[in-house]
């Protein structure tokens, strides 16, 4: 049986033979939902590149257990780092995009309030939606057994996205009318790759111009037009393969 993965608040000082406490919501899930018992294998991660494998040493109450560490693993920062600027899709398709991109291996997701987005994040509704995206990234990171979970930033405007693109080592906008395929683009061996995925209505001419001025060229992904909720995942998989991170 594959050991379940839980998110620990901190793994500082973890070493073989030491004990780490899992508490709070994660501890409650381990004890009351998964019903883990002494001796069962478990994996803990801090979501920032460190993970430990071990076994349950003690169960305390309904929301706390102790894990005896058998081994510690550290993950190097990914290179090149891949960020996807994801226009806000309608319904729950944003969470689907975050989930599948996380499972694939994206390093950061930037929610983008594009001009043609049907969905708009405003006030409490926006904060709630952002919270769902971040929770989805966390759960998908655990499910896919990642040690480093992707960052989900605050929502950005088009001007903020343009600045992000200008600072990237490679920047691209997925566009069905792009003259060059993303599969043929010259990619950096290290640094930052930033990719823009537009909304259901497409990237507006004004936005495309702004992004091109920031150094992001339009690229097509393939012969078919993908939904905004799946295009980012397909592009991330392509980039991970071409940069050798899936080697």
């Amino acid at each position: 049986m594959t050991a379940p993965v839980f998110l620990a608040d901190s793994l500082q000082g973890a070493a073989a033979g030491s004990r780490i406490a899992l508490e709070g919501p994660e501890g409650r899930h381990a004890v009351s939902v998964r019903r883990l018992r002494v001796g069962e294998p478990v994996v803990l991660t801090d979501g920032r590149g460190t993970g430990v494998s071990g076994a349950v040493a003690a169960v305390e109450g309904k929301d706390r257990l102790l894990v005896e560490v058998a081994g510690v693993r550290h993950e190097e920062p990914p290179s090149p780092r891949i960020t996807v600027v994801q226009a806000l899709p309608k319904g729950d398709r944003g969470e689907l995009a975050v989930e599948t991109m996380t499972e694939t291996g994206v390093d950061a997701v930037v929610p983008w309030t594009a001009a043609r987005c049907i969905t708009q994040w405003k006030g409490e509704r926006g904060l709630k939606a952002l919270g769902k995206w971040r929770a989805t990234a966390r759960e998908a990171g655990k499910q896919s057994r990642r040690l480093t979970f992707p960052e989900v930033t605050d929502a950005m405007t088009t001007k903020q996205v343009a600045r992000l693109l200008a600072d990237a080592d490679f920047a691209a906008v997925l566009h069905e009318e792009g003259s060059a395929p993303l599969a043929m683009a010259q990619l950096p061996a290290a640094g930052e790759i930033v990719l823009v995925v537009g909304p259901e209505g497409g990237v507006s001419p004004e936005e495309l111009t702004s992004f091109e001025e920031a150094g992001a060229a339009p690229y097509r992904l393939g012969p078919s037009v993908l939904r905004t909720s799946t295009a980012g995942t397909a592009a991330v998989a392509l980039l991970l393969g071409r940069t050798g991170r899936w080697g």
Side-chain angles (χ1 to χ4, degrees), residues 25-69:
E26 290 288 279
R28 186 175 304 109
H29 184 73
V31 174
S32 300
V33 179
R34 296 297 299 263
R35 299 186 180 276
L36 295 183
R37 297 293 178 257
V38 172
E40 292 192 78
V42 67
V43 173
L44 303 181
T45 177
D46 61 2
R48 297 183 294 276
T50 299
V52 304
S53 58
V56 178
V59 177
E60 301 174 349
K62 297 181 178 180
D63 61 359
R64 189 175 193 269
L65 55 76
L66 298 178
V67 176
E68 183 164 340
V69 178

Side-chain angles (χ1 to χ4, degrees), residues 81-86 108 110 112 156-174 182 188 191-198 203-204 206-219 239:
R81 177 179 161 90
I82 299 173
T83 295
V84 171
V85 177
Q86 174 66 60
V110 177
W112 171 38
M156 289 190 183
T157 64
T158 297
K159 286 185 178 180
Q160 290 171 319
V161 170
R163 287 196 292 268
L164 184 68
L165 295 170
D167 291 335
D169 296 282
F170 174 81
V173 180
L174 289 186
L182 186 62
E192 298 277 341
I193 294 175
V194 181
L195 182 72
V196 176
V197 178
V203 179
S204 73
E206 294 78 14
E207 290 166 335
L208 190 59
T209 297
S210 176
F211 295 159
E212 287 182 314
E213 290 174 350
Y219 288 87
L239 294 174

Side-chain angles (χ1 to χ4, degrees), residues 1-6 34 36 40-43 54 142-145:
M1 180 179 122
T2 302
V5 179
F6 296 96
R34 296 297 299 263
L36 295 183
E40 292 192 78
V42 67
V43 173
K142 288 161 54 179
Q143 188 278 330
S144 55
R145 310 185 73 77

